[in-house]
Amino acid sequence: MANTSDGVIPQRVDWDAQAAGFDEEPDHGLRAPEVRRAWADRLRAWLPERASDVLDLGCGTGSLSLLAAEQGHRVTGVDSAPAMLDRARAKLAGRDARFLLGDAAAPPVGERRYDVVLVRHVLWTLPEPARVLRHWRDLLRPGGRLVLVEGVWGTVSPVGIPAGRLTALLAPLAAEVRLERLSDEPLLWGKAVDDERYAVVALLPPLPGHRAKADPDAP
């Protein structure tokens, strides 16, 4: 595989085949209470305080979708693997959530718009990240936000998208771009890591004439 920020697409993974064991990774299944709590705390800081419409792209088995729903948000998850979606639907049974089969780069949501587009470890796998980011931006309502968790993994043949590259791509699309380094947070990953891991929150401007709230985290 190679860095898709340079235009090279990684080798295709059979995510349906991976679904059965996907949640065994600490940061995938969030089964350990301390890991789950760490992600819940981060998500609470990244998402709006009020109940919002969250689009979770490349949602996998729905672990982040579940945390968002538990915090009162309405969730739409999109994934290209039916087996992943089966597990996500089971996790969120009875919650205010729906799951759609489709491509994260062009989710099948029609004209519907969201307050948050949430994406973890997906953008780096997609060709033309600049184009994808513009499309995701267009799925947001005024004042909405992109919440992107990404990184660079490996030393011999590193893969991923560096934080500097992603923030540069987002700069012309958003009113404010916040970078949060996550490499030194072992509770998020269930272990210590020495590669580049980070989150970016990109805030869109509100409607013209709308007075922004004093709280920069407010939608």
Side-chain angles (χ1 to χ4, degrees), residues 46 148 150 162-167 170 176-182 196-202:
W46 297 333
L148 310 175
E150 286 293 337
R165 167 68 170 156
L166 182 51
T167 55
L170 288 168
E176 181 180 350
V177 178
R178 302 173 183 170
L179 172 64
E180 186 173 336
R181 300 286 182 177
L182 303 177
E196 182 181 14
R197 305 192 188 195
Y198 63 90
V200 173
V201 179

Side-chain angles (χ1 to χ4, degrees), residues 53-179:
D53 293 309
V54 176
L55 180 60
D56 184 2
L57 298 177
C59 65
T61 61
S63 294
L64 291 189
S65 291
L66 179 57
L67 293 182
E70 288 176 343
Q71 293 176 15
H73 301 290
R74 301 171 294 273
V75 179
T76 299
V78 175
D79 203 277
S80 61
M84 291 283 192
L85 290 177
D86 287 344
R87 285 163 171 78
R89 291 187 180 104
K91 280 184 185 179
L92 279 90
R95 301 276 182 181
D96 192 353
R98 65 172 185 154
F99 292 93
L100 305 174
L101 181 66
D103 182 358
V109 297
E111 297 301 312
R112 185 168 180 179
R113 294 297 176 262
Y114 297 84
D115 301 302
V116 180
V117 170
L118 170 65
V119 193
R120 181 174 68 167
H121 299 167
V122 173
L123 181 65
W124 75 274
T125 70
L126 303 175
E128 299 183 78
R131 177 187 59 80
V132 171
L133 288 170
R134 288 194 298 271
H135 183 60
W136 289 350
R137 184 269 318 269
D138 292 342
L139 296 175
L140 290 168
R141 297 173 179 136
R145 63 185 68 184
L146 292 167
V147 178
L148 310 175
V149 182
E150 286 293 337
V152 178
W153 301 272
T155 54
V156 178
S157 299
V159 296
I161 180 167
R165 167 68 170 156
L166 182 51
T167 55
L169 290 173
L170 288 168
L173 305 180
E176 181 180 350
V177 178
R178 302 173 183 170
L179 172 64

Side-chain angles (χ1 to χ4, degrees), residues 37-47 71 180-182 185 188:
R37 185 164 50 250
W39 278 102
D41 289 345
R42 294 290 178 169
L43 213 58
R44 190 173 292 106
W46 297 333
L47 300 183
Q71 293 176 15
E180 186 173 336
R181 300 286 182 177
L182 303 177
E185 302 290 341
L188 291 172

Side-chain angles (χ1 to χ4, degrees), residues 38 60 71 82 184 202 211:
Q71 293 176 15
D184 294 332
R211 185 176 180 181

